[in-house]
Amino acid sequence: DQQVKQNSPSLSVQEGRISILNCDYTNSMFDYFLWYKKYPAEGPTFLISISSIKDKNEDGRFTVFLNKSAKHLSLHIVPSQPGDSAVYFCAASAVFTQGGSEKLVFGKGMKLTVNP
Amino acid sequence: KAGVTQTPRYLIKTRGQQVTLSCSPISGHRSVSWYQQTPGQGLQFLFEYFSETQRNKGNFPGRFSGRQFSNSRSEMNVSTLELGDSALYLCASSLSVRGSETQYFGPGTRLLVL
């Protein structure tokens, strides 16, 4: 049962345009959402996050939007740059009753290609 | 600060063998989580350790085990390797176990099982 879904495996955009990466989740207990970026041969690096009490968080060229009623979040990159080409993972966390600890649930990732 | 380090970076094993992977977290970080990444499956959570105790465990068979030492370094062991265990194994560290804490990932250990 995949609780965090990134339904599009890839996206290709032109440099300077907007990149929109989408993520859906099924568990209404999730209260914190993160985006990670991964280059080949490297581990994922944290990009931006959002708490469920917000609907938008912005950091430079990156903005994450959260729609709790739709259980949907998106990452906007404006303007897109060739260096943004990477695999992007959406992740969510919640307090699970088992063990009482929180853990991250990741989506399968989406490959973004920004063409010069 | 030095980042998360993982050793070895690459490993080739044969079916039936066992393997131990090592992870050194960022200094001061007490939580270490392990993930398996395979093509098309994203990052799947294996387990998390905090203060030498396993705090959470994903849906992996008992062949996958881990431990954490008093200096927060962690090891992951896979026994009786299967072809399907070929994957990138990622370790991540954070200050605490809270999901809102940023996790810092190592470069991973790429395991190939022949």
Side-chain angles (χ1 to χ4, degrees):
Chain A
D1 177 28
Q2 195 179 353
Q3 299 186 70
V4 178
K5 301 177 183 179
Q6 294 177 260
N7 293 319
S8 299
S10 63
L11 174 68
S12 182
V13 299
Q14 284 299 121
E15 181 178 6
R17 306 293 288 268
I18 184 173
S19 295
I20 299 177
L21 291 73
N22 294 306
C23 178
D24 297 294
Y25 60 95
T26 57
N27 190 337
S28 58
M29 296 298 291
F30 287 143
D31 55 9
Y32 198 76
F33 305 89
L34 308 91
W35 285 93
Y36 281 81
K37 178 171 71 174
K38 185 180 185 300
Y39 293 117
E42 295 182 12
T45 55
F46 171 75
L47 194 57
I48 192 170
S49 62
I50 187 167
S51 165
S52 61
I53 62 174
K54 293 186 175 182
D55 55 18
K56 176 183 174 181
N57 189 26
E58 189 173 353
D59 183 3
R61 297 186 296 114
F62 303 90
T63 303
V64 57
F65 295 92
L66 175 63
N67 182 336
K68 284 175 290 186
S69 61
K71 294 190 178 66
H72 175 85
L73 66 155
S74 61
L75 174 68
H76 293 211
I77 306 174
V78 181
S80 300
Q81 299 173 353
D84 296 329
S85 297
V87 175
Y88 289 78
F89 290 96
C90 169
S93 73
V95 177
F96 291 96
T97 55
Q98 180 185 1
S101 64
E102 302 174 358
K103 65 180 179 73
L104 286 180
V105 179
F106 282 84
K108 292 185 177 183
M110 177 190 209
K111 184 177 181 181
L112 172 66
T113 302
V114 181
N115 301 304
Chain B
K1 282 185 179 179
V4 178
T5 57
Q6 292 186 246
T7 56
R9 290 294 308 276
Y10 303 93
L11 206 50
I12 299 176
K13 292 284 187 180
T14 56
R15 279 182 299 174
Q17 287 187 308
Q18 68 92 27
V19 66
T20 299
L21 311 181
S22 182
C23 171
S24 292
I26 291 172
S27 177
H29 285 192
R30 297 171 63 191
S31 172
V32 173
S33 298
W34 288 89
Y35 296 86
Q36 181 196 65
Q37 184 187 8
T38 54
Q41 291 299 316
L43 278 74
Q44 294 184 287
F45 175 77
L46 280 155
F47 27 66
E48 177 182 30
Y49 287 88
F50 181 80
S51 294
E52 303 178 64
T53 302
Q54 187 179 88
R55 294 296 304 271
N56 216 327
K57 190 176 189 303
N59 296 321
F60 279 81
R63 299 185 297 108
F64 291 81
S65 62
R67 60 177 176 169
Q68 187 180 35
F69 302 94
S70 58
N71 61 358
S72 295
R73 188 177 70 86
S74 177
E75 287 182 347
M76 190 192 98
N77 185 276
V78 188
S79 62
T80 319
L81 284 167
E82 300 177 358
L83 295 179
D85 296 333
S86 296
L88 179 68
Y89 290 89
L90 291 158
C91 162
S93 77
S94 60
L95 283 169
S96 72
V97 296
R98 286 189 59 80
S100 55
E101 286 280 352
T102 299
Q103 291 198 346
Y104 296 86
F105 283 84
T109 294
R110 186 163 293 281
L111 171 65
L112 177 62
V113 181
L114 301 175

